[in-house]
Amino acid sequence: MSAMIIDGKELARRTRARLAGDVAAVTENFGAAPGLAAILVGDDPASETYVRTKRRQAAECGIRSTAHHLAADTTEADLIKLVHALNGDETVDAILVQLPLPGHIASHRVLDTVLPGKDVDGFHSRNAGLLAVGRPETVPCTPRGCLALLRHAHGDDDSGGLGKLAGLHAVVVGRSSIVGRPMAALLTAENCTVTLAHSRTRSLPEVCRQADVLVAATGRPEMVRGDWIQPGATVIDVGINRIERGGASRLVGDVAFDEAQHVAGAITPVPGGVGPMTVAYLLHNTVELFHRRRADEAAQA
Ligand code: NDP
């Protein structure tokens, strides 16, 4: 059997094309385009690349963006001061704090300083809490992109009613606050039966084999083997790991793709799966925050 390869690149392209149309319309209506402010602290090359890609794709969609690149030794107090300034800046609808931050800065304090209504990544405790209790406002971009990939793979047209993921057993491996936990909450809202596995889970291969939908987000290169997968299952590989093999450097996921593609029913590749969808949903969230802010302002007027 050969799995259907879920083309995240193409789905992301379509998502961005839809957004570009929406952005053009709101820019004409309101006389201003949605504004995204990106904060980067330090010189991590991967983070620099992510921020560059996000800003380039934002521009392609007609979203204005500004970048605030701070030195690696910036204090937490100075970073928080910048976040306050952006919170109060009328031209900024969405604030992105690129993670990871340097070790001397407490990420949670910085993320909780961003106004929940400008929190494009959905990392503020209020937004995380709302998602956990089933009243989501802004949802983290990676899990949101994963859900879109899953719906696409299952032919779910998002037309309301009970979706096609309902009743499936979903296993999410990894419980970080930016991927695993919000992913489990989103799948619960889709009426999946959800198992959230982690490094202390016993008999992990057996747990994974029970999954109709398997989401791997561990940061462990090719950890999920082909024989951990139930034949026909849908596999979403969130991992992005750079490894050296045969004298060359390449990107691999948390799933051993070469094995898994012969067992799974559908699978995301790395690269070209979850990564492009994360950026597409960052832009989607930016536009959503723009709309929400204008609706709040209209309600208060
Ligand atoms: P974290 O390191 O924050 O969390 C990893 C999670 O995996 C933890 O919950 C940990 O368990 C669990 N884990 C680690 N080792 C094992 C193991 N051997 N067995 C079972 N569970 C294990 O990672 P992130 O969630 O931030 O990222 C995960 C991966 O996704 C990384 O490869 C990252 O690069 C990638 N990523 C990709 C994105 C994209 O756009 N495609 C966006 C964000 C991340 P425990 O809690 O018990 O320690």
Side-chain angles (χ1 to χ4, degrees):
M1 187 166 93
S2 206
M4 173 183 110
I5 308 300
I6 309 170
D7 188 347
K9 224 167 147 180
E10 172 56 19
L11 202 58
R13 193 193 57 73
R14 278 190 247 156
T15 306
R16 292 197 307 273
R18 222 177 24 241
L19 278 174
D22 192 11
V23 170
V26 299
T27 304
E28 193 169 321
N29 264 351
F30 294 96
L36 169 70
I39 302 176
L40 175 63
V41 186
D43 304 307
D44 174 47
S47 293
E48 283 181 15
T49 305
Y50 288 140
V51 169
R52 221 176 11 251
T53 303
K54 289 167 181 175
R55 293 195 65 211
R56 179 174 46 76
Q57 295 194 0
E60 285 166 10
C61 285
I63 293 171
R64 284 176 298 111
S65 80
T66 52
H68 303 266
H69 195 164
L70 307 181
D73 61 356
T74 299
T75 63
E76 188 177 308
D78 280 346
L79 177 54
I80 284 179
K81 210 185 287 171
L82 171 62
V83 173
H84 279 305
L86 295 172
N87 282 343
D89 185 336
E90 282 302 307
T91 67
V92 172
D93 297 289
I95 300 171
L96 152 75
V97 181
Q98 183 64 43
L99 299 180
L101 291 171
H104 66 278
I105 296 176
S107 302
H108 69 276
R109 275 200 291 268
V110 176
L111 296 174
D112 277 352
T113 305
V114 175
L115 274 182
K118 291 193 176 189
D119 171 30
V120 72
D121 272 317
F123 292 161
H124 190 288
S125 308
R126 177 183 153 80
N127 283 322
L130 286 171
L131 176 60
V133 296
R135 291 189 286 119
E137 282 189 4
T138 303
V139 174
C141 311
T142 300
R144 196 160 184 181
C146 291
L147 182 60
L149 289 164
L150 274 170
R151 282 187 174 151
H152 171 74
H154 286 255
D156 217 332
D157 61 5
D158 212 4
S159 59
L162 212 53
K164 295 200 172 121
L165 298 172
L168 298 182
H169 184 192
V171 175
V172 179
V173 192
R175 57 177 164 180
S176 74
S177 54
I178 66 173
V179 187
R181 282 173 207 253
M183 188 75 240
L186 284 178
L187 290 166
T188 303
E190 291 292 309
N191 296 298
C192 289
T193 303
V194 180
T195 301
L196 183 54
H198 45 77
S199 66
R200 302 296 181 93
T201 298
R202 290 188 191 158
S203 312
L204 185 59
E206 243 165 72
V207 171
C208 291
R209 265 193 297 275
Q210 291 167 20
D212 303 306
V213 166
L214 180 61
V215 180
T218 63
R220 301 274 179 266
E222 300 178 322
M223 187 187 89
V224 175
R225 312 306 309 186
D227 62 1
W228 295 25
I229 295 168
Q230 179 186 161
T234 304
V235 178
I236 304 291
D237 189 353
V238 182
I240 303 179
N241 311 287
R242 186 160 289 284
I243 61 161
E244 304 295 324
R245 188 172 290 162
S249 155
R250 56 184 288 234
L251 287 183
V252 298
D254 293 346
V255 177
F257 184 87
D258 291 345
E259 297 174 14
Q261 66 171 332
H262 300 299
V263 190
I267 185 167
T268 56
V270 177
V274 174
M277 291 298 280
T278 294
V279 184
Y281 273 88
L282 174 87
L283 307 179
H284 173 105
N285 282 357
T286 302
V287 177
E288 201 171 71
L289 290 174
F290 175 93
H291 281 299
R292 205 175 292 140
R293 219 174 119 209
R294 296 308 177 283
D296 288 348
E297 281 167 7
Q300 280 163 18

